[in-house]
Amino acid sequence: MKFVVAMMKHETNTFSPVPTPFKSFANQAAYYGADAYSAFKGTNTPMAAFIDLAEKEGAEIITPIAAETWPSGTVHADAYERISDVICEAVVRGCDAVFLDLHGAMVSQISDDGEGALLERIRSIVPQMPLAVALDLHANITDKMLTNCTVIAGYTTYPHVDMYEAGQRAGNILIDTLKGKVIPTMACANRPMLPHTLRMGTDDAPMGDLVARAKTIEGKEALAVTVFGGFPLADFHDAGLSVVAVTDDDQKMAEDICQNLAQEAWQRRSEFVYTAEPLNESVARASKLTEGPILLIDHADNCASGGTQDTMAVVAEVMRQGLNDVAVGAIRDPEAVKKMIKAGVGSDLTLQLGGKMDMPTISRNGEPLEVTGTVKVISDGEFVVQGPMYTGVRMSMGKTAVLDTGSIQFVVIENNHEPFDLGMFRSVGIEPTAKQYLLLKSRIHYRAGFKPIAKHIVECNGIGVTGSDYNQFRFEKVRRPIFPLDPDIEF
Ligand SMILES: [Zn+2]
């Protein structure tokens, strides 16, 4: 037996001004052949699960490519073609099954439905190819995805700490299919709703309740059931919540499961709407708390949703209200990093920090903030994740430097990077458990590494292209009417 195992992952925020050329993948993860195998073998990812399953079966494993980068704007045509070409070329050379670690919310210049187009292409080459797909909880499921693969299973956690299990769930069903033990039948249902990602945390209701119900069903009537929250900022026709079920030769059962869960989500649609507190009130509330670490969640500029990771509104309010002993993780500002490296460790300097990118989709120009401090650390920005999300994966923040103003320590990085793991701070000599405040450019993923050390969590609504106020975005492609853009919609 010969299995092709590959990864192509990107969550596309079509409102993000951060470009997504191939270089973005190269900066984070674009490994070919044996390097793809060794970069992900033993990690908490679907790719690793697929490799383990293939090895257990004694299959020959081909890993043509594993490519992933943090969320950003529409994927450039050349990047999309380059990655999908490598996968398809491996399939053309011949194999018995394909296992793909995809995201599910990739919009490229070639196709709004990046994953659907890839799967369709593979199936056009080998129409009967057994094909298992693991997807992110934020996948926007399309008919094209559903009809061009054998099995779909997705993450059931946000923060995503069960990536490996999602790969196992999808992969095991495909292996059983190859052995003739099951005949997978798949269905999908959705409702016209665009939940806020801040209301998709699986520790909370309503998402946690839906996921728990799906898990119960998965243990009984179905081989796999996944509730996909969807990614609302990928503005294309099919964005939004959906449910996918895989049953053993029972199409009607798969359809019923999906319809029931989708209807439950629809009935609870108002719980999926996030309403933000004014920024000055959040920071004032945080300033009165005594026991740290207190997390200040700068969720409107979240790297892992496509933020520029350089807006300074929350930092400015923290400075205005005089919070002390703050570590900021992280500001993406390659220019500032360059200046700090040039100045050297121990140098004092004044920087126009952040605010380097304009955000035309929300009619905002970048607004840097003047800060004065001492360069404390210069680093290559690399670390291996120790925490529960992406465990074992080597991360690269690009060239990195720490500026200490006395009251605030800024981690300033060259490439964007989500603060989900304590390694972001520890790799540059900051002990996060010892800080009073940790200002994190995150929405939910911070919970993976930082929630266990937090005494308080305060969500701070700053500026950015990942904000929860849908009124600031001009949606053009998503199907209408859809809740809550059209609040009175009936279904
Ligand atoms: Zn996600």
Side-chain angles (χ1 to χ4, degrees):
M1 296 274 265
K2 189 168 160 186
F3 295 166
V4 168
V5 176
M7 175 199 289
M8 177 180 86
K9 275 205 287 212
H10 185 255
E11 180 182 82
T12 305
N13 178 339
T14 54
F15 300 102
S16 172
V18 181
T20 315
F22 187 78
K23 189 174 181 300
S24 295
F25 293 88
N27 284 344
Q28 197 202 336
Y31 301 99
Y32 296 92
D35 290 342
Y37 174 94
S38 50
F40 286 97
K41 167 78 181 165
T43 62
N44 182 9
T45 59
M47 179 91 184
F50 293 150
I51 290 171
D52 287 350
L53 288 172
E55 288 182 342
K56 198 172 141 213
E57 295 304 315
E60 182 188 347
I61 307 169
I62 310 295
T63 52
I65 191 165
E68 176 176 24
T69 190
W70 290 109
S72 47
T74 300
V75 177
H76 292 189
D78 67 317
Y80 179 77
E81 281 181 333
R82 207 158 145 182
I83 300 165
S84 46
D85 282 358
V86 173
I87 296 172
C88 291
E89 281 158 16
V91 174
V92 167
R93 281 194 289 273
C95 61
D96 300 293
V98 178
F99 298 77
L100 295 179
D101 179 358
L102 307 178
H103 184 285
M106 180 192 254
V107 176
S108 79
Q109 289 171 339
I110 306 276
S111 167
D112 281 356
D113 177 5
E115 289 83 358
L118 171 69
L119 296 172
E120 184 180 54
R121 188 173 158 199
I122 293 173
R123 275 285 165 90
S124 73
I125 302 166
V126 276
Q128 304 303 323
M129 177 62 68
L131 211 167
V133 180
L135 294 175
D136 192 283
L137 175 138
H138 297 107
N140 295 316
I141 307 296
T142 66
D143 283 345
K144 207 178 264 189
M145 290 182 204
L146 204 71
T147 54
N148 288 292
C149 68
T150 316
V151 176
I152 289 175
Y155 311 158
T156 64
T157 55
Y158 181 28
H160 306 324
V161 294
D162 70 329
M163 297 186 203
Y164 184 90
E165 286 87 344
Q168 271 187 320
R169 285 160 59 232
N172 271 325
I173 298 170
L174 200 70
I175 302 262
D176 283 349
T177 308
L178 294 170
K179 291 178 176 173
K181 290 184 182 172
V182 296
I183 301 170
T185 39
M186 202 158 45
C188 175
N190 61 35
R191 291 295 182 272
M193 58 189 286
L194 211 49
H196 284 125
T197 54
L198 272 173
R199 304 295 298 132
M200 289 182 206
T202 49
D203 291 341
D204 313 325
M207 197 65 183
D209 297 341
L210 288 164
V211 166
R213 278 247 295 136
K215 277 200 172 145
T216 311
I217 299 165
E218 182 168 307
K220 293 177 188 157
E221 298 100 328
L223 302 171
V225 183
T226 312
V227 180
F228 292 99
F231 185 59
L233 300 179
D235 181 24
F236 86 121
H237 183 271
D238 296 303
L241 180 139
S242 58
V243 183
V244 173
V246 188
T247 52
D248 185 7
D249 200 18
D250 192 337
Q251 186 66 37
K252 170 86 170 59
M253 173 81 82
E255 280 163 16
D256 288 349
I257 290 166
C258 292
Q259 287 298 342
N260 289 340
L261 277 169
Q263 186 60 22
E264 185 177 334
W266 175 249
Q267 280 160 354
R268 300 182 70 173
R269 61 194 176 281
S270 61
E271 292 177 62
F272 280 104
V273 177
Y274 178 82
T275 309
E277 172 186 46
L279 176 59
N280 59 342
E281 290 176 22
S282 304
V283 176
R285 196 155 55 81
S287 72
K288 292 186 183 74
L289 300 168
T290 51
E291 205 185 351
I294 299 155
L295 308 186
L296 306 170
I297 305 303
D298 185 355
H299 54 81
D301 186 31
N302 165 219
C303 160
S305 301
T308 57
Q309 217 182 336
D310 74 344
T311 71
M312 303 302 284
V314 177
V315 174
E317 186 62 24
V318 162
M319 288 170 77
R320 195 183 70 78
Q321 297 199 28
L323 273 57
N324 199 25
D325 194 16
V326 185
V328 178
I331 306 295
R332 179 181 174 268
D333 188 339
E335 252 179 81
V337 173
K338 219 178 210 175
K339 282 183 184 158
M340 289 159 77
I341 291 172
K342 197 173 169 204
V345 171
S347 308
D348 295 329
L349 76 169
T350 296
L351 289 171
Q352 300 298 318
L353 187 61
K356 298 299 188 295
M357 295 199 88
D358 293 337
M359 294 166 284
T361 55
I362 58 167
S363 306
R364 287 258 181 193
N365 291 328
E367 291 177 48
L369 185 70
E370 186 170 291
V371 293
T372 299
T374 307
V375 180
K376 288 286 184 186
V377 173
I378 291 170
S379 119
D380 64 4
E382 292 205 1
F383 65 94
V384 174
V385 177
Q386 307 292 326
M389 182 176 163
Y390 280 118
T391 318
V393 176
R394 174 168 289 276
M395 291 287 161
S396 173
M397 305 187 286
K399 287 176 185 142
T400 296
V402 176
L403 187 79
D404 192 340
T405 69
S407 56
I408 302 182
Q409 288 171 302
F410 289 98
V411 180
V412 189
I413 59 180
E414 185 184 17
N415 302 331
N416 49 353
H417 181 83
E418 167 79 10
F420 66 91
D421 190 73
L422 303 179
M424 161 175 265
F425 288 115
R426 286 185 174 155
S427 64
V428 291
I430 297 171
E431 178 46 48
T433 55
K435 301 301 292 183
Q436 180 68 3
Y437 295 99
L438 296 168
L439 194 164
L440 304 173
K441 286 193 168 283
S442 182
R443 290 172 80 73
I444 300 284
H445 282 317
Y446 72 85
R447 293 180 182 178
F450 290 91
K451 196 175 173 187
I453 68 161
K455 293 293 188 295
H456 303 279
I457 297 168
V458 179
E459 291 169 344
C460 299
N461 189 31
I463 289 169
V465 295
T466 71
S468 280
D469 179 6
Y470 286 159
N471 291 321
Q472 69 184 322
F473 302 108
R474 212 173 68 215
F475 288 89
E476 290 175 342
K477 292 188 175 176
V478 71
R479 64 200 185 283
R480 303 295 290 264
I482 192 164
F483 182 85
L485 299 181
D486 306 295
D488 300 326
I489 174 180
E490 300 284 338
F491 184 83

